[in-house]
Amino acid sequence: MNMVGFQAETNRISIPAYLQSGDYVSAAYTAGMRDGDVVTAINGSSVTSFTDIQNGVVFSEGKPVVVTVNRE
C-alpha cells in the first residue's frame, strides 16, 4: 500500500494483481486483506483515510495490530 499510494485520501485498500502472487506478495495480501477492502478501524481507532492507515501501522512500533475492514 505504501508503495502504491493514492491520488486522493481514502481508506479503501488497493493491492495490484502483481502484488497478489509471485515473488513479491504484499504483506497486506498475505495478512488476508483484499483489493477493495475498506479499513474502518485499527486497534479500535476509527480510520477514514490512507494517512490513518499509515499512522496506525507505523506507530504500532512493530506490535501486531487488529484491522477491521468492510468487504463487499
Side-chain angles (χ1 to χ4, degrees), residues 12-29:
R12 183 174 300 276
I13 300 299
S14 176
I15 305 173
Y18 66 89
L19 292 176
Q20 295 179 23
S21 64
D23 294 334
Y24 302 104
V25 176
S26 161
Y29 190 85

PDB file of all heavy atoms in Angstrom, residues 12-29:
ATOM      1  N   ARG A  12      -9.828   2.868   1.348  1.00  0.00           N
ATOM      2  CA  ARG A  12     -10.020   1.670   0.527  1.00  0.00           C
ATOM      3  C   ARG A  12      -8.651   1.124   0.137  1.00  0.00           C
ATOM      4  O   ARG A  12      -7.779   1.856  -0.313  1.00  0.00           O
ATOM      5  CB  ARG A  12     -10.830   1.990  -0.726  1.00  0.00           C
ATOM      6  CG  ARG A  12     -11.132   0.754  -1.575  1.00  0.00           C
ATOM      7  CD  ARG A  12     -12.062   1.079  -2.734  1.00  0.00           C
ATOM      8  NE  ARG A  12     -13.336   1.606  -2.278  1.00  0.00           N
ATOM      9  CZ  ARG A  12     -14.389   0.882  -1.892  1.00  0.00           C
ATOM     10  NH1 ARG A  12     -14.304  -0.442  -1.913  1.00  0.00           N
ATOM     11  NH2 ARG A  12     -15.496   1.455  -1.505  1.00  0.00           N
ATOM     12  N   ILE A  13      -8.475  -0.186   0.305  1.00  0.00           N
ATOM     13  CA  ILE A  13      -7.208  -0.840   0.021  1.00  0.00           C
ATOM     14  C   ILE A  13      -7.088  -1.131  -1.472  1.00  0.00           C
ATOM     15  O   ILE A  13      -8.029  -1.607  -2.101  1.00  0.00           O
ATOM     16  CB  ILE A  13      -7.104  -2.181   0.799  1.00  0.00           C
ATOM     17  CG1 ILE A  13      -7.197  -1.935   2.299  1.00  0.00           C
ATOM     18  CG2 ILE A  13      -5.829  -2.937   0.435  1.00  0.00           C
ATOM     19  CD1 ILE A  13      -6.120  -1.054   2.855  1.00  0.00           C
ATOM     20  N   SER A  14      -5.914  -0.852  -2.018  1.00  0.00           N
ATOM     21  CA  SER A  14      -5.618  -1.181  -3.409  1.00  0.00           C
ATOM     22  C   SER A  14      -4.377  -2.061  -3.428  1.00  0.00           C
ATOM     23  O   SER A  14      -3.293  -1.616  -3.057  1.00  0.00           O
ATOM     24  CB  SER A  14      -5.373   0.095  -4.220  1.00  0.00           C
ATOM     25  OG  SER A  14      -5.001  -0.234  -5.538  1.00  0.00           O
ATOM     26  N   ILE A  15      -4.561  -3.323  -3.829  1.00  0.00           N
ATOM     27  CA  ILE A  15      -3.441  -4.258  -3.946  1.00  0.00           C
ATOM     28  C   ILE A  15      -3.406  -4.725  -5.398  1.00  0.00           C
ATOM     29  O   ILE A  15      -4.220  -5.554  -5.804  1.00  0.00           O
ATOM     30  CB  ILE A  15      -3.594  -5.461  -2.994  1.00  0.00           C
ATOM     31  CG1 ILE A  15      -3.786  -4.993  -1.546  1.00  0.00           C
ATOM     32  CG2 ILE A  15      -2.375  -6.377  -3.113  1.00  0.00           C
ATOM     33  CD1 ILE A  15      -4.107  -6.110  -0.563  1.00  0.00           C
ATOM     34  N   PRO A  16      -2.488  -4.176  -6.192  1.00  0.00           N
ATOM     35  CA  PRO A  16      -2.416  -4.556  -7.607  1.00  0.00           C
ATOM     36  C   PRO A  16      -2.183  -6.056  -7.782  1.00  0.00           C
ATOM     37  O   PRO A  16      -1.593  -6.710  -6.911  1.00  0.00           O
ATOM     38  CB  PRO A  16      -1.212  -3.763  -8.127  1.00  0.00           C
ATOM     39  CG  PRO A  16      -0.982  -2.684  -7.130  1.00  0.00           C
ATOM     40  CD  PRO A  16      -1.471  -3.212  -5.819  1.00  0.00           C
ATOM     41  N   ALA A  17      -2.626  -6.591  -8.906  1.00  0.00           N
ATOM     42  CA  ALA A  17      -2.514  -8.025  -9.179  1.00  0.00           C
ATOM     43  C   ALA A  17      -1.078  -8.526  -9.063  1.00  0.00           C
ATOM     44  O   ALA A  17      -0.843  -9.627  -8.565  1.00  0.00           O
ATOM     45  CB  ALA A  17      -3.065  -8.334 -10.572  1.00  0.00           C
ATOM     46  N   TYR A  18      -0.103  -7.710  -9.451  1.00  0.00           N
ATOM     47  CA  TYR A  18       1.291  -8.170  -9.403  1.00  0.00           C
ATOM     48  C   TYR A  18       1.817  -8.293  -7.974  1.00  0.00           C
ATOM     49  O   TYR A  18       2.875  -8.871  -7.754  1.00  0.00           O
ATOM     50  CB  TYR A  18       2.206  -7.269 -10.246  1.00  0.00           C
ATOM     51  CG  TYR A  18       2.366  -5.852  -9.737  1.00  0.00           C
ATOM     52  CD1 TYR A  18       3.361  -5.529  -8.820  1.00  0.00           C
ATOM     53  CD2 TYR A  18       1.529  -4.840 -10.188  1.00  0.00           C
ATOM     54  CE1 TYR A  18       3.516  -4.234  -8.355  1.00  0.00           C
ATOM     55  CE2 TYR A  18       1.674  -3.551  -9.736  1.00  0.00           C
ATOM     56  CZ  TYR A  18       2.672  -3.244  -8.819  1.00  0.00           C
ATOM     57  OH  TYR A  18       2.806  -1.949  -8.364  1.00  0.00           O
ATOM     58  N   LEU A  19       1.077  -7.784  -6.985  1.00  0.00           N
ATOM     59  CA  LEU A  19       1.458  -7.939  -5.578  1.00  0.00           C
ATOM     60  C   LEU A  19       0.586  -8.975  -4.861  1.00  0.00           C
ATOM     61  O   LEU A  19       0.620  -9.088  -3.645  1.00  0.00           O
ATOM     62  CB  LEU A  19       1.381  -6.596  -4.846  1.00  0.00           C
ATOM     63  CG  LEU A  19       2.408  -5.553  -5.273  1.00  0.00           C
ATOM     64  CD1 LEU A  19       2.161  -4.230  -4.548  1.00  0.00           C
ATOM     65  CD2 LEU A  19       3.818  -6.048  -5.015  1.00  0.00           C
ATOM     66  N   GLN A  20      -0.188  -9.746  -5.639  1.00  0.00           N
ATOM     67  CA  GLN A  20      -1.051 -10.764  -5.053  1.00  0.00           C
ATOM     68  C   GLN A  20      -0.506 -12.181  -5.254  1.00  0.00           C
ATOM     69  O   GLN A  20      -1.031 -13.131  -4.694  1.00  0.00           O
ATOM     70  CB  GLN A  20      -2.459 -10.664  -5.649  1.00  0.00           C
ATOM     71  CG  GLN A  20      -3.147  -9.355  -5.293  1.00  0.00           C
ATOM     72  CD  GLN A  20      -4.529  -9.239  -5.900  1.00  0.00           C
ATOM     73  OE1 GLN A  20      -5.172 -10.239  -6.226  1.00  0.00           O
ATOM     74  NE2 GLN A  20      -5.002  -8.014  -6.061  1.00  0.00           N
ATOM     75  N   SER A  21       0.551 -12.306  -6.050  1.00  0.00           N
ATOM     76  CA  SER A  21       1.177 -13.616  -6.259  1.00  0.00           C
ATOM     77  C   SER A  21       2.587 -13.404  -6.787  1.00  0.00           C
ATOM     78  O   SER A  21       2.951 -12.301  -7.184  1.00  0.00           O
ATOM     79  CB  SER A  21       0.365 -14.454  -7.247  1.00  0.00           C
ATOM     80  OG  SER A  21       0.362 -13.847  -8.520  1.00  0.00           O
ATOM     81  N   GLY A  22       3.357 -14.463  -6.769  1.00  0.00           N
ATOM     82  CA  GLY A  22       4.714 -14.386  -7.284  1.00  0.00           C
ATOM     83  C   GLY A  22       5.742 -14.150  -6.193  1.00  0.00           C
ATOM     84  O   GLY A  22       5.525 -14.491  -5.027  1.00  0.00           O
ATOM     85  N   ASP A  23       6.854 -13.546  -6.573  1.00  0.00           N
ATOM     86  CA  ASP A  23       7.977 -13.349  -5.658  1.00  0.00           C
ATOM     87  C   ASP A  23       7.755 -12.246  -4.628  1.00  0.00           C
ATOM     88  O   ASP A  23       8.352 -12.264  -3.560  1.00  0.00           O
ATOM     89  CB  ASP A  23       9.251 -13.036  -6.442  1.00  0.00           C
ATOM     90  CG  ASP A  23       9.718 -14.215  -7.284  1.00  0.00           C
ATOM     91  OD1 ASP A  23       9.400 -15.361  -6.921  1.00  0.00           O
ATOM     92  OD2 ASP A  23      10.383 -13.973  -8.305  1.00  0.00           O
ATOM     93  N   TYR A  24       6.948 -11.254  -4.959  1.00  0.00           N
ATOM     94  CA  TYR A  24       6.789 -10.099  -4.080  1.00  0.00           C
ATOM     95  C   TYR A  24       5.323  -9.894  -3.716  1.00  0.00           C
ATOM     96  O   TYR A  24       4.664  -8.983  -4.207  1.00  0.00           O
ATOM     97  CB  TYR A  24       7.347  -8.843  -4.746  1.00  0.00           C
ATOM     98  CG  TYR A  24       8.796  -8.992  -5.097  1.00  0.00           C
ATOM     99  CD1 TYR A  24       9.196  -9.215  -6.410  1.00  0.00           C
ATOM    100  CD2 TYR A  24       9.770  -8.935  -4.109  1.00  0.00           C
ATOM    101  CE1 TYR A  24      10.538  -9.375  -6.731  1.00  0.00           C
ATOM    102  CE2 TYR A  24      11.108  -9.088  -4.420  1.00  0.00           C
ATOM    103  CZ  TYR A  24      11.485  -9.304  -5.726  1.00  0.00           C
ATOM    104  OH  TYR A  24      12.809  -9.467  -6.028  1.00  0.00           O
ATOM    105  N   VAL A  25       4.811 -10.733  -2.836  1.00  0.00           N
ATOM    106  CA  VAL A  25       3.416 -10.640  -2.408  1.00  0.00           C
ATOM    107  C   VAL A  25       3.314  -9.595  -1.294  1.00  0.00           C
ATOM    108  O   VAL A  25       4.105  -9.583  -0.352  1.00  0.00           O
ATOM    109  CB  VAL A  25       2.890 -12.011  -1.923  1.00  0.00           C
ATOM    110  CG1 VAL A  25       1.477 -11.890  -1.394  1.00  0.00           C
ATOM    111  CG2 VAL A  25       2.964 -13.024  -3.051  1.00  0.00           C
ATOM    112  N   SER A  26       2.324  -8.727  -1.405  1.00  0.00           N
ATOM    113  CA  SER A  26       2.101  -7.673  -0.419  1.00  0.00           C
ATOM    114  C   SER A  26       1.856  -8.258   0.972  1.00  0.00           C
ATOM    115  O   SER A  26       1.164  -9.261   1.124  1.00  0.00           O
ATOM    116  CB  SER A  26       0.874  -6.859  -0.851  1.00  0.00           C
ATOM    117  OG  SER A  26       0.326  -6.125   0.213  1.00  0.00           O
ATOM    118  N   ALA A  27       2.421  -7.605   1.982  1.00  0.00           N
ATOM    119  CA  ALA A  27       2.183  -8.034   3.366  1.00  0.00           C
ATOM    120  C   ALA A  27       0.702  -7.937   3.708  1.00  0.00           C
ATOM    121  O   ALA A  27       0.162  -8.776   4.429  1.00  0.00           O
ATOM    122  CB  ALA A  27       3.009  -7.187   4.324  1.00  0.00           C
ATOM    123  N   ALA A  28       0.029  -6.921   3.192  1.00  0.00           N
ATOM    124  CA  ALA A  28      -1.409  -6.765   3.444  1.00  0.00           C
ATOM    125  C   ALA A  28      -2.181  -7.951   2.844  1.00  0.00           C
ATOM    126  O   ALA A  28      -3.074  -8.506   3.478  1.00  0.00           O
ATOM    127  CB  ALA A  28      -1.922  -5.455   2.854  1.00  0.00           C
ATOM    128  N   TYR A  29      -1.802  -8.368   1.631  1.00  0.00           N
ATOM    129  CA  TYR A  29      -2.454  -9.508   0.988  1.00  0.00           C
ATOM    130  C   TYR A  29      -2.187 -10.784   1.772  1.00  0.00           C
ATOM    131  O   TYR A  29      -3.101 -11.577   2.013  1.00  0.00           O
ATOM    132  CB  TYR A  29      -1.980  -9.639  -0.461  1.00  0.00           C
ATOM    133  CG  TYR A  29      -2.770 -10.640  -1.260  1.00  0.00           C
ATOM    134  CD1 TYR A  29      -3.953 -10.260  -1.874  1.00  0.00           C
ATOM    135  CD2 TYR A  29      -2.349 -11.954  -1.402  1.00  0.00           C
ATOM    136  CE1 TYR A  29      -4.702 -11.166  -2.600  1.00  0.00           C
ATOM    137  CE2 TYR A  29      -3.083 -12.866  -2.128  1.00  0.00           C
ATOM    138  CZ  TYR A  29      -4.257 -12.470  -2.723  1.00  0.00           C
ATOM    139  OH  TYR A  29      -5.001 -13.380  -3.433  1.00  0.00           O
TER     140      TYR A  29
END
